[in-house]
Amino acid sequence: MDSKLYKDLVVGRGYNYHYYYSPPALGKPTLLFLHGFPTFSYDWHKQVVFLQPQGYGILVPDLLGAGESAYPLDVQAFRLNGMAQDILDIFAAEGIEKAVGIGHDWGSVLLSRLSLLHPEKFIGFGWIGLCFMEPITVHFDLDAAMVYTKQLLGYEGYSYWEFFLRKDANDIILKNPDSFLQLLYPNDPDAWLDHMVLPGTTSKCIDSDLKLGHPSYMTDEEYAVLRKELVTHGLQSSLNWYHAQVQDVDLEDNLQIPEERWTVRPPSLQIIAVKDCICTPQRARTTMEKWGTVVEYREVPAGHWPHLECAEEVNAALVSWLQGLPIA
């Protein structure tokens, strides 16, 4: 990604956003890419280098707590309504009337909020792994969520949150960065069954500095970029994605969104990562069948990072789907 194409904007809430922007060629839409945790805009580099030369406009922000954007420690900064407005502020600064939104992980959660509040700004939505997420309208109980996933999946799918919510999580991650990165980006997706979705196992892995091995879908250079970002900035701010949910930061806003707005009306592409034990294929299909209107499904043999693990397949699926979307 060309460093000269990055810009900075202080949005209406007062936070600086650092973002990559390349305008579209005539007749092509702009693609908004929203990354998840624990990464930054670079997460989408395999899509950018493939799609930008084809004339697609590209907008890839570092979200709050990542890259060269602001690093607020106040959990209220991570209100989904507020971050959705931040994205629209970037749209306004660049004169973007409509875009195709593409999200992964927490980026899909933010994209869901944009779908709920501002569907008129989007031509379509691409969900990479994690699908559309409807608003949570009751207190989020982490223990209850683990009981539910145990019943549904046979394991406590939210177990790793216990480590991320520890007061010393950022310190331990910075002490053992390779253990953390090799767990979050496992070479074998099944490693999460041993170290992410069983109570206490994430803490045990990172506390003990267990290294699971370099992910085969990353070059040494790509891994070094992620490692440098991690040790330079840490994750104290971006861990607020998790704190915000357990503290019900969005609950009041969620209760104001009528259920008729939950339907995802623009066309959707759902990339299903068949080896992801957290953002599961079952969850993606069940959710999109309930809330989607026009949904195309593509399965790829990947874990949590399909756009990295199976970049060629994901890129081909995106182009095929994009070619069928109306531009206006």
Side-chain angles (χ1 to χ4, degrees):
M1 295 169 67
D2 187 348
S3 61
K4 296 189 295 295
L5 294 181
Y6 274 93
K7 298 182 178 184
D8 288 272
L9 176 71
V10 176
V11 297
R13 294 198 299 155
Y15 299 115
N16 182 73
Y17 273 79
H18 189 66
Y19 61 93
Y20 183 96
Y21 180 61
S22 175
L26 184 64
K28 294 281 190 176
T30 293
L31 313 181
L32 166 70
F33 289 94
L34 299 175
H35 67 80
F37 176 92
T39 187
F40 64 121
S41 57
Y42 180 77
D43 192 52
W44 297 108
H45 68 284
K46 292 185 178 182
Q47 284 64 58
V48 172
V49 299
F50 181 76
L51 293 164
Q52 184 177 321
Q54 299 184 46
Y56 292 100
I58 305 290
L59 175 60
V60 197
D62 290 333
L63 297 178
L64 290 184
E68 299 302 323
S69 289
Y71 280 74
L73 298 179
D74 182 358
V75 69
Q76 294 294 328
F78 286 76
R79 281 181 57 229
L80 291 170
N81 281 18
M83 291 188 289
Q85 184 57 52
D86 296 343
I87 298 300
L88 292 195
D89 288 353
I90 299 174
F91 275 24
E94 296 297 345
I96 299 169
E97 295 296 328
K98 287 190 173 186
V100 176
I102 300 168
H104 171 255
D105 192 78
W106 282 107
S108 288
V109 177
L110 178 54
L111 190 63
S112 299
R113 186 53 48 115
L114 286 161
S115 171
L116 290 161
L117 299 181
H118 308 288
E120 75 284 353
K121 302 296 290 185
F122 290 90
I123 303 165
F125 295 108
W127 312 97
I128 311 299
L130 185 61
C131 54
F132 168 80
M133 298 295 288
E134 64 265 43
I136 298 173
T137 56
V138 296
H139 164 65
F140 179 79
D141 185 325
L142 181 59
D143 291 333
M146 289 202 286
V147 170
Y148 173 75
T149 55
K150 174 73 170 179
Q151 294 171 341
L152 182 67
L153 302 171
Y155 50 81
E156 296 88 342
Y158 285 88
S159 293
Y160 63 101
W161 283 45
E162 294 181 318
F163 173 74
F164 289 166
L165 294 169
R166 279 171 43 176
K167 290 183 179 180
D168 65 345
N170 183 60
D171 294 336
I172 299 300
I173 290 167
L174 291 179
K175 180 182 177 183
N176 301 323
D178 292 297
S179 175
F180 174 77
L181 284 174
Q182 291 171 26
L183 174 60
L184 269 290
Y185 297 89
N187 187 49
D188 179 359
D190 285 346
W192 279 18
L193 292 171
D194 296 323
H195 302 290
M196 289 283 276
V197 298
L198 300 177
T201 55
T202 304
S203 291
K204 182 178 180 181
C205 178
I206 301 173
D207 283 336
S208 66
D209 198 23
L210 176 64
K211 299 179 181 68
L212 299 178
H214 191 292
S216 59
Y217 48 87
M218 283 187 200
T219 65
D220 290 344
E221 180 183 0
E222 289 168 336
Y223 183 87
V225 170
L226 293 180
R227 192 182 193 282
K228 181 180 179 181
E229 166 67 17
L230 175 62
V231 300
T232 299
H233 295 294
L235 297 174
Q236 192 69 58
S237 176
S238 59
L239 284 165
N240 275 322
W241 286 100
Y242 298 91
H243 287 281
Q245 185 152 319
V246 299
Q247 293 180 34
D248 295 328
V249 164
D250 295 297
L251 182 56
E252 183 177 347
D253 291 336
N254 293 350
L255 291 169
Q256 302 304 311
I257 303 173
E259 189 168 322
E260 56 264 27
R261 293 188 67 91
W262 295 13
T263 299
V264 182
R265 302 200 182 279
S268 286
L269 171 66
Q270 176 66 57
I271 299 292
I272 295 176
V274 298
K275 298 180 181 180
D276 191 338
C277 65
I278 293 176
C279 302
T280 64
Q282 176 185 355
R283 181 183 198 174
R285 287 192 179 275
T286 300
T287 301
M288 296 309 296
E289 286 169 3
K290 181 176 184 179
W291 298 115
T293 49
V294 179
V295 185
E296 181 176 326
Y297 298 92
R298 296 290 183 93
E299 292 189 355
V300 294
H304 187 67
W305 306 93
H307 54 301
L308 300 178
E309 298 173 55
C310 298
E312 290 186 5
E313 293 173 66
V314 170
N315 289 346
L318 283 170
V319 168
S320 176
W321 174 68
L322 287 167
Q323 288 172 345
L325 291 181
I327 299 303

